[in-house]
Amino acid sequence: MNQDNRELADLMRKEFAGLQTDRLIKIESERRLEQRFCAGRQRIREVIGQLVSEGLLIKYEGKGTYIAPIVKNKYMNLICSPDIKFSDPFYNRLLMELTNYAAKNSVNMIPLTLETLKNGDMISPVLMIGKFEEPDLEKIKDAYPRIISFENYPNQDEFAQIYFDHFRIGLNAAKVLDSYGHKRVIHITGPDKYASALYRKNGFIRSARKNGMELTVLESKMNFMGGYELAEQVERLARAEGYTAVFAANDWMAIGLIQAMKAHGVEVPDQISVLSVDNIPLAGQFSPALTTYCLDANMMIAECFSLMDRAAQSPAEEGFHKRVILQPALIARDTLRRLE
Protein backbone atom coordinates (compact mmCIF):
# COMPACT_ATOMS: atom_id res chain seq x y z
CA MET A 1 0.00 0.00 0.00
CA ASN A 2 1.47 3.38 -1.04
CA GLN A 3 1.75 6.42 1.26
CA ASP A 4 -1.42 8.11 -0.05
CA ASN A 5 -3.46 4.95 0.55
CA ARG A 6 -1.96 4.48 4.02
CA GLU A 7 -3.01 8.00 4.97
CA LEU A 8 -6.51 7.43 3.59
CA ALA A 9 -6.72 4.09 5.40
CA ASP A 10 -5.74 5.77 8.68
CA LEU A 11 -8.52 8.37 8.25
CA MET A 12 -11.18 5.80 7.36
CA ARG A 13 -10.01 3.36 10.06
CA LYS A 14 -10.29 6.06 12.74
CA GLU A 15 -13.76 7.11 11.54
CA PHE A 16 -15.21 3.60 11.27
CA ALA A 17 -13.67 2.45 14.57
CA GLY A 18 -15.36 5.42 16.24
CA LEU A 19 -18.72 4.29 14.86
CA GLN A 20 -18.43 0.66 16.05
CA THR A 21 -21.18 -0.67 18.30
CA ASP A 22 -22.42 -4.17 19.11
CA ARG A 23 -24.43 -4.14 15.84
CA LEU A 24 -23.70 -4.09 12.12
CA ILE A 25 -23.59 -0.57 10.64
CA LYS A 26 -23.69 -0.05 6.88
CA ILE A 27 -21.15 2.43 5.51
CA GLU A 28 -21.78 4.99 2.78
CA SER A 29 -21.62 4.10 -0.89
CA GLU A 30 -18.27 4.25 -2.69
CA ARG A 31 -19.48 7.35 -4.54
CA ARG A 32 -20.19 9.21 -1.28
CA LEU A 33 -16.83 8.14 0.16
CA GLU A 34 -15.09 9.40 -2.99
CA GLN A 35 -16.70 12.81 -2.55
CA ARG A 36 -16.03 13.07 1.18
CA PHE A 37 -12.41 11.92 1.10
CA CYS A 38 -11.61 13.49 -2.31
CA ALA A 39 -10.23 10.18 -3.56
CA GLY A 40 -10.75 8.11 -6.70
CA ARG A 41 -12.92 4.99 -6.86
CA GLN A 42 -9.91 2.66 -7.15
CA ARG A 43 -8.23 4.12 -4.05
CA ILE A 44 -11.47 3.83 -2.06
CA ARG A 45 -11.85 0.19 -3.10
CA GLU A 46 -8.25 -0.65 -2.22
CA VAL A 47 -8.58 0.89 1.25
CA ILE A 48 -11.93 -0.82 1.89
CA GLY A 49 -10.28 -4.11 0.89
CA GLN A 50 -7.51 -3.45 3.42
CA LEU A 51 -9.99 -2.68 6.22
CA VAL A 52 -11.96 -5.83 5.34
CA SER A 53 -8.76 -7.89 5.65
CA GLU A 54 -8.18 -6.31 9.09
CA GLY A 55 -11.67 -7.30 10.23
CA LEU A 56 -12.92 -3.76 10.79
CA LEU A 57 -15.26 -3.96 7.79
CA ILE A 58 -17.33 -6.83 6.41
CA LYS A 59 -18.37 -6.94 2.76
CA TYR A 60 -21.59 -8.73 1.80
CA GLU A 61 -21.94 -9.47 -1.89
CA GLY A 62 -25.07 -7.86 -3.28
CA LYS A 63 -25.78 -5.96 -0.03
CA GLY A 64 -22.91 -3.56 0.65
CA THR A 65 -20.14 -3.06 3.22
CA TYR A 66 -20.66 -2.89 6.99
CA ILE A 67 -18.68 -1.93 10.08
CA ALA A 68 -18.07 -5.11 12.07
CA PRO A 69 -19.57 -5.30 15.58
CA ILE A 70 -17.29 -4.80 18.59
CA VAL A 71 -16.32 -8.21 19.96
CA LYS A 72 -16.15 -8.39 23.77
CA ASN A 73 -16.34 -12.15 24.25
CA LYS A 74 -13.04 -13.90 24.88
CA TYR A 75 -14.35 -17.44 24.58
CA MET A 76 -16.90 -19.29 22.52
CA ASN A 77 -17.81 -22.96 22.40
CA LEU A 78 -18.40 -24.69 19.08
CA ILE A 79 -20.13 -27.99 18.38
CA CYS A 80 -20.82 -29.52 14.95
CA SER A 81 -23.57 -32.01 14.19
CA PRO A 82 -22.31 -35.56 13.48
CA ASP A 83 -24.35 -35.41 10.24
CA ILE A 84 -22.39 -32.50 8.75
CA LYS A 85 -20.43 -33.17 5.59
CA PHE A 86 -17.45 -30.83 5.68
CA SER A 87 -17.27 -31.03 1.89
CA ASP A 88 -20.56 -29.09 1.83
CA PRO A 89 -19.61 -25.62 0.52
CA PHE A 90 -21.86 -23.75 2.95
CA TYR A 91 -20.62 -25.44 6.13
CA ASN A 92 -17.03 -25.39 4.89
CA ARG A 93 -17.21 -21.64 4.28
CA LEU A 94 -19.05 -20.97 7.54
CA LEU A 95 -16.45 -22.77 9.64
CA MET A 96 -13.54 -21.16 7.79
CA GLU A 97 -14.94 -17.63 8.17
CA LEU A 98 -15.91 -18.27 11.80
CA THR A 99 -12.34 -19.34 12.56
CA ASN A 100 -10.93 -16.28 10.77
CA TYR A 101 -13.31 -13.90 12.53
CA ALA A 102 -12.47 -15.36 15.94
CA ALA A 103 -8.72 -15.12 15.25
CA LYS A 104 -8.93 -11.48 14.11
CA ASN A 105 -10.81 -10.56 17.28
CA SER A 106 -8.71 -12.65 19.73
CA VAL A 107 -11.62 -14.92 20.63
CA ASN A 108 -10.67 -18.38 21.88
CA MET A 109 -12.69 -21.10 20.15
CA ILE A 110 -13.33 -24.26 22.18
CA PRO A 111 -14.32 -27.21 19.94
CA LEU A 112 -16.73 -29.65 21.56
CA THR A 113 -18.41 -32.95 20.78
CA LEU A 114 -21.46 -34.52 22.38
CA GLU A 115 -19.05 -36.55 24.53
CA THR A 116 -16.99 -33.53 25.69
CA LEU A 117 -19.74 -31.01 26.46
CA LYS A 118 -18.39 -30.43 29.98
CA ASN A 119 -15.01 -29.32 28.65
CA GLY A 120 -16.28 -25.96 27.43
CA ASP A 121 -16.50 -22.54 29.04
CA MET A 122 -19.92 -22.77 30.68
CA ILE A 123 -20.37 -18.99 30.90
CA SER A 124 -19.86 -18.43 27.17
CA PRO A 125 -22.42 -19.37 24.51
CA VAL A 126 -22.18 -22.56 22.52
CA LEU A 127 -22.53 -22.25 18.74
CA MET A 128 -24.28 -25.16 17.04
CA ILE A 129 -23.31 -25.92 13.44
CA GLY A 130 -25.67 -28.23 11.55
CA LYS A 131 -28.89 -29.91 12.61
CA PHE A 132 -29.04 -31.93 15.83
CA GLU A 133 -31.54 -34.67 16.66
CA GLU A 134 -33.84 -34.06 19.62
CA PRO A 135 -31.96 -36.21 22.21
CA ASP A 136 -28.63 -34.56 21.36
CA LEU A 137 -30.22 -31.11 21.39
CA GLU A 138 -31.54 -31.76 24.91
CA LYS A 139 -28.02 -32.68 26.09
CA ILE A 140 -26.65 -29.40 24.80
CA LYS A 141 -29.53 -27.42 26.34
CA ASP A 142 -28.92 -29.10 29.71
CA ALA A 143 -25.22 -28.21 29.62
CA TYR A 144 -25.34 -24.58 28.41
CA PRO A 145 -27.72 -21.73 29.32
CA ARG A 146 -26.92 -19.82 26.13
CA ILE A 147 -27.04 -21.41 22.70
CA ILE A 148 -26.84 -19.97 19.20
CA SER A 149 -27.86 -22.21 16.30
CA PHE A 150 -27.10 -21.63 12.64
CA GLU A 151 -30.10 -23.78 11.70
CA ASN A 152 -33.82 -23.26 12.06
CA TYR A 153 -35.62 -25.26 14.77
CA PRO A 154 -39.28 -24.25 14.20
CA ASN A 155 -40.53 -25.75 17.47
CA GLN A 156 -37.73 -24.44 19.70
CA ASP A 157 -37.85 -21.03 21.38
CA GLU A 158 -35.31 -21.61 24.17
CA PHE A 159 -32.23 -20.45 22.28
CA ALA A 160 -31.13 -18.02 19.59
CA GLN A 161 -31.30 -19.02 15.93
CA ILE A 162 -29.56 -17.30 13.00
CA TYR A 163 -30.35 -18.78 9.62
CA PHE A 164 -31.19 -18.27 5.98
CA ASP A 165 -34.82 -19.02 5.18
CA HIS A 166 -34.34 -21.96 2.81
CA PHE A 167 -38.08 -22.35 2.28
CA ARG A 168 -38.29 -18.74 1.10
CA ILE A 169 -35.29 -19.29 -1.17
CA GLY A 170 -37.29 -22.01 -2.91
CA LEU A 171 -40.35 -19.77 -3.10
CA ASN A 172 -38.33 -16.96 -4.61
CA ALA A 173 -36.51 -19.22 -7.09
CA ALA A 174 -39.80 -20.32 -8.66
CA LYS A 175 -40.98 -16.69 -8.83
CA VAL A 176 -37.75 -15.65 -10.55
CA LEU A 177 -38.00 -18.42 -13.14
CA ASP A 178 -41.66 -17.59 -13.74
CA SER A 179 -40.82 -13.89 -14.22
CA TYR A 180 -38.30 -14.95 -16.89
CA GLY A 181 -41.05 -16.81 -18.73
CA HIS A 182 -40.15 -20.36 -17.71
CA LYS A 183 -43.31 -22.45 -17.22
CA ARG A 184 -41.84 -25.98 -17.42
CA VAL A 185 -39.11 -26.34 -14.82
CA ILE A 186 -36.94 -29.01 -13.20
CA HIS A 187 -35.69 -29.03 -9.63
CA ILE A 188 -32.58 -31.12 -8.92
CA THR A 189 -32.21 -31.68 -5.20
CA GLY A 190 -30.52 -33.77 -2.51
CA PRO A 191 -31.97 -36.24 0.01
CA ASP A 192 -34.63 -34.96 2.43
CA LYS A 193 -32.35 -35.68 5.41
CA TYR A 194 -30.56 -32.42 4.57
CA ALA A 195 -32.77 -29.69 6.00
CA SER A 196 -31.68 -27.00 3.54
CA ALA A 197 -32.45 -29.24 0.54
CA LEU A 198 -35.84 -30.24 1.96
CA TYR A 199 -36.93 -26.68 2.74
CA ARG A 200 -35.76 -25.34 -0.63
CA LYS A 201 -37.60 -28.13 -2.43
CA ASN A 202 -40.83 -27.60 -0.49
CA GLY A 203 -40.74 -23.84 -1.08
CA PHE A 204 -40.03 -24.31 -4.78
CA ILE A 205 -42.84 -26.84 -5.24
CA ARG A 206 -45.36 -24.61 -3.47
CA SER A 207 -44.42 -21.51 -5.45
CA ALA A 208 -44.24 -23.36 -8.79
CA ARG A 209 -47.73 -24.75 -8.31
CA LYS A 210 -49.08 -21.39 -7.22
CA ASN A 211 -47.69 -19.83 -10.40
CA GLY A 212 -49.13 -22.53 -12.66
CA MET A 213 -45.75 -24.01 -13.58
CA GLU A 214 -45.22 -27.63 -14.63
CA LEU A 215 -42.60 -29.17 -12.35
CA THR A 216 -40.40 -32.29 -12.26
CA VAL A 217 -38.19 -33.09 -9.24
CA LEU A 218 -35.01 -35.19 -9.65
CA GLU A 219 -32.97 -36.35 -6.64
CA SER A 220 -29.26 -37.14 -6.43
CA LYS A 221 -26.22 -36.49 -4.24
CA MET A 222 -25.58 -32.82 -3.46
CA ASN A 223 -22.20 -32.69 -5.19
CA PHE A 224 -20.62 -32.36 -8.65
CA MET A 225 -21.24 -36.00 -9.58
CA GLY A 226 -24.82 -35.82 -8.35
CA GLY A 227 -25.55 -33.06 -10.86
CA TYR A 228 -23.44 -34.69 -13.57
CA GLU A 229 -25.37 -37.96 -13.32
CA LEU A 230 -28.74 -36.22 -13.76
CA ALA A 231 -27.77 -34.71 -17.13
CA GLU A 232 -29.33 -37.45 -19.28
CA GLN A 233 -32.71 -37.08 -17.54
CA VAL A 234 -32.57 -33.30 -17.77
CA GLU A 235 -31.60 -33.49 -21.45
CA ARG A 236 -34.54 -35.78 -22.20
CA LEU A 237 -36.96 -33.48 -20.42
CA ALA A 238 -35.55 -30.45 -22.26
CA ARG A 239 -35.48 -31.97 -25.75
CA ALA A 240 -38.58 -34.19 -25.68
CA GLU A 241 -40.90 -32.41 -23.25
CA GLY A 242 -39.99 -28.75 -23.60
CA TYR A 243 -38.60 -28.02 -20.13
CA THR A 244 -36.65 -24.76 -20.20
CA ALA A 245 -35.09 -24.19 -16.76
CA VAL A 246 -33.47 -25.97 -13.82
CA PHE A 247 -33.33 -24.88 -10.18
CA ALA A 248 -30.42 -26.69 -8.48
CA ALA A 249 -30.22 -27.28 -4.72
CA ASN A 250 -26.62 -26.04 -4.68
CA ASP A 251 -23.85 -24.77 -6.95
CA TRP A 252 -21.89 -28.01 -7.14
CA MET A 253 -24.92 -29.86 -8.46
CA ALA A 254 -25.51 -27.05 -10.96
CA ILE A 255 -21.90 -27.03 -12.16
CA GLY A 256 -21.83 -30.81 -12.55
CA LEU A 257 -25.07 -30.67 -14.53
CA ILE A 258 -23.86 -27.88 -16.83
CA GLN A 259 -20.57 -29.67 -17.48
CA ALA A 260 -22.37 -32.89 -18.46
CA MET A 261 -24.92 -30.98 -20.55
CA LYS A 262 -22.06 -29.48 -22.57
CA ALA A 263 -20.85 -33.00 -23.33
CA HIS A 264 -24.39 -33.87 -24.50
CA GLY A 265 -24.47 -30.84 -26.81
CA VAL A 266 -27.03 -28.92 -24.72
CA GLU A 267 -26.12 -25.25 -24.35
CA VAL A 268 -26.77 -23.27 -21.18
CA PRO A 269 -28.64 -20.89 -21.19
CA ASP A 270 -29.62 -21.02 -24.89
CA GLN A 271 -31.39 -24.38 -24.58
CA ILE A 272 -31.96 -24.54 -20.85
CA SER A 273 -31.47 -22.02 -18.03
CA VAL A 274 -29.93 -22.85 -14.64
CA LEU A 275 -30.46 -21.12 -11.27
CA SER A 276 -28.69 -22.26 -8.12
CA VAL A 277 -27.81 -21.56 -4.46
CA ASP A 278 -24.55 -20.92 -2.52
CA ASN A 279 -22.37 -18.61 -4.67
CA ILE A 280 -19.20 -20.64 -4.18
CA PRO A 281 -16.06 -18.94 -5.59
CA LEU A 282 -16.16 -21.16 -8.70
CA ALA A 283 -19.66 -19.93 -9.56
CA GLY A 284 -18.34 -16.64 -10.93
CA GLN A 285 -15.31 -18.22 -12.63
CA PHE A 286 -17.11 -21.09 -14.36
CA SER A 287 -18.26 -20.68 -17.97
CA PRO A 288 -21.04 -19.78 -18.30
CA ALA A 289 -20.95 -17.90 -15.00
CA LEU A 290 -23.61 -19.25 -12.66
CA THR A 291 -26.67 -17.26 -11.60
CA THR A 292 -27.08 -18.14 -7.93
CA TYR A 293 -28.23 -17.02 -4.48
CA CYS A 294 -25.45 -15.79 -2.20
CA LEU A 295 -25.62 -17.21 1.35
CA ASP A 296 -23.09 -14.95 3.03
CA ALA A 297 -21.42 -16.74 5.95
CA ASN A 298 -19.88 -13.46 7.11
CA MET A 299 -23.34 -12.01 7.64
CA MET A 300 -24.31 -14.93 9.89
CA ILE A 301 -21.09 -14.64 11.88
CA ALA A 302 -21.37 -10.88 12.39
CA GLU A 303 -24.96 -11.30 13.61
CA CYS A 304 -23.77 -14.09 15.91
CA PHE A 305 -21.03 -12.00 17.57
CA SER A 306 -23.37 -9.05 17.84
CA LEU A 307 -25.91 -11.24 19.62
CA MET A 308 -23.26 -12.69 21.94
CA ASP A 309 -22.10 -9.25 23.01
CA ARG A 310 -25.64 -8.05 23.72
CA ALA A 311 -26.38 -11.24 25.64
CA ALA A 312 -23.24 -10.83 27.76
CA GLN A 313 -24.81 -7.71 29.27
CA SER A 314 -27.78 -9.63 30.69
CA PRO A 315 -27.87 -12.20 33.54
CA ALA A 316 -27.00 -15.72 32.38
CA GLU A 317 -30.19 -17.19 33.78
CA GLU A 318 -32.24 -15.02 31.44
CA GLY A 319 -30.78 -16.76 28.41
CA PHE A 320 -31.60 -15.29 25.03
CA HIS A 321 -34.30 -16.19 22.58
CA LYS A 322 -34.08 -14.51 19.22
CA ARG A 323 -34.54 -15.49 15.60
CA VAL A 324 -32.45 -13.65 13.02
CA ILE A 325 -33.72 -14.63 9.57
CA LEU A 326 -31.33 -13.59 6.82
CA GLN A 327 -32.24 -13.01 3.19
CA PRO A 328 -29.85 -14.09 0.43
CA ALA A 329 -28.91 -11.87 -2.52
CA LEU A 330 -29.56 -13.10 -6.07
CA ILE A 331 -26.34 -12.79 -8.07
CA ALA A 332 -27.40 -12.51 -11.71
CA ARG A 333 -24.84 -13.89 -14.16
CA ASP A 334 -25.02 -15.85 -17.43
CA THR A 335 -26.95 -19.08 -16.89
CA LEU A 336 -30.45 -17.58 -16.70
CA ARG A 337 -32.11 -16.47 -19.94
CA ARG A 338 -35.37 -14.60 -20.33
CA LEU A 339 -37.76 -16.30 -22.74
CA GLU A 340 -39.38 -14.06 -25.34
Side-chain angles (χ1 to χ4, degrees):
M1 182 178 286
N2 61 37
Q3 183 62 31
D4 288 342
N5 281 9
R6 279 196 292 271
E7 291 176 0
L8 179 59
D10 288 341
L11 287 172
M12 293 174 68
R13 187 184 295 111
K14 182 177 180 180
E15 176 177 316
F16 295 147
L19 295 172
Q20 271 188 305
T21 68
D22 61 355
R23 300 172 185 266
L24 287 165
I25 299 174
K26 190 172 185 178
I27 69 171
E28 297 171 295
S29 67
E30 290 180 353
R31 182 181 295 277
R32 291 291 300 277
L33 291 172
E34 284 180 62
Q35 295 169 349
R36 255 195 332 111
F37 288 98
C38 299
R41 179 70 58 91
Q42 186 59 34
R43 284 186 63 202
I44 292 293
R45 287 180 175 173
E46 288 175 1
V47 170
I48 286 176
Q50 174 61 31
L51 299 183
V52 167
S53 70
E54 294 175 9
L56 178 60
L57 299 180
I58 303 173
K59 197 164 191 175
Y60 301 140
E61 188 163 2
K63 292 184 178 291
T65 304
Y66 292 74
I67 302 171
I70 295 172
V71 175
K72 300 175 183 176
N73 292 270
K74 294 304 176 186
Y75 293 93
M76 68 177 183
N77 307 289
L78 180 71
I79 185 166
C80 296
S81 166
D83 295 331
I84 277 185
K85 288 186 178 294
F86 291 102
S87 57
D88 180 285
F90 175 72
Y91 290 122
N92 185 285
R93 188 165 63 251
L94 177 61
L95 287 165
M96 180 181 68
E97 296 297 343
L98 185 60
T99 302
N100 289 341
Y101 200 92
K104 288 177 181 177
N105 291 280
S106 301
V107 177
N108 296 299
M109 185 185 297
I110 304 173
L112 301 173
T113 67
L114 291 166
E115 290 71 37
T116 62
L117 283 175
K118 294 183 179 179
N119 294 350
D121 179 65
M122 297 299 179
I123 298 174
S124 300
V126 59
L127 277 55
M128 298 194 309
I129 310 290
K131 199 81 169 182
F132 287 85
E133 298 295 332
E134 189 66 29
D136 295 335
L137 185 59
E138 290 302 317
K139 289 180 184 177
I140 299 169
K141 287 163 60 177
D142 288 344
Y144 291 87
R146 287 178 170 151
I147 299 170
I148 300 175
S149 168
F150 290 112
E151 296 284 349
N152 176 22
Y153 291 84
N155 299 320
Q156 293 284 345
D157 292 314
E158 300 173 56
F159 52 85
Q161 301 174 43
I162 303 171
Y163 56 91
F164 285 96
D165 190 337
H166 296 288
F167 184 82
R168 189 168 293 279
I169 290 171
L171 286 175
N172 187 261
K175 290 179 182 178
V176 167
L177 293 181
D178 181 63
S179 71
Y180 274 68
H182 297 282
K183 285 297 186 181
R184 308 194 84 185
V185 297
I186 304 163
H187 179 39
I188 62 172
T189 185
D192 285 353
K193 67 178 180 179
Y194 300 118
S196 60
L198 176 61
Y199 291 143
R200 290 171 195 170
K201 180 180 74 174
N202 289 345
F204 189 75
I205 290 172
R206 176 179 292 186
S207 185
R209 288 175 176 168
K210 183 178 179 180
N211 286 285
M213 303 162 76
E214 188 169 339
L215 170 68
T216 294
V217 177
L218 304 176
E219 183 179 310
S220 187
K221 294 179 180 178
M222 292 180 69
N223 56 27
F224 179 92
M225 285 308 300
Y228 196 95
E229 291 168 356
L230 291 175
E232 286 189 10
Q233 295 180 66
V234 172
E235 180 192 5
R236 179 184 58 78
L237 289 167
R239 292 190 188 277
E241 301 186 35
Y243 283 77
T244 61
V246 173
F247 171 51
N250 69 17
D251 287 350
W252 279 117
M253 291 189 84
I255 290 170
L257 174 70
I258 293 171
Q259 193 67 26
M261 297 287 275
K262 287 180 181 178
H264 286 257
V266 179
E267 294 296 326
V268 175
D270 292 342
Q271 292 170 273
I272 193 161
S273 288
V274 177
L275 173 63
S276 184
V277 184
D278 270 340
N279 195 37
I280 62 174
L282 184 60
Q285 303 163 7
F286 189 74
S287 181
L290 188 60
T291 296
T292 183
Y293 288 94
C294 178
L295 308 183
D296 200 317
N298 279 321
M299 184 181 294
M300 301 186 81
I301 293 163
E303 290 285 359
C304 172
F305 277 87
S306 175
L307 180 59
M308 285 196 295
D309 285 336
R310 293 200 298 274
Q313 300 171 18
S314 61
E317 61 270 16
E318 286 184 11
F320 53 115
H321 326 288
K322 183 174 182 179
R323 291 179 186 269
V324 180
I325 306 173
L326 304 173
Q327 299 303 323
L330 178 63
I331 309 299
R333 295 194 181 103
D334 302 330
T335 58
L336 184 56
R337 182 174 71 94
R338 191 179 301 276
L339 298 183
E340 297 180 359

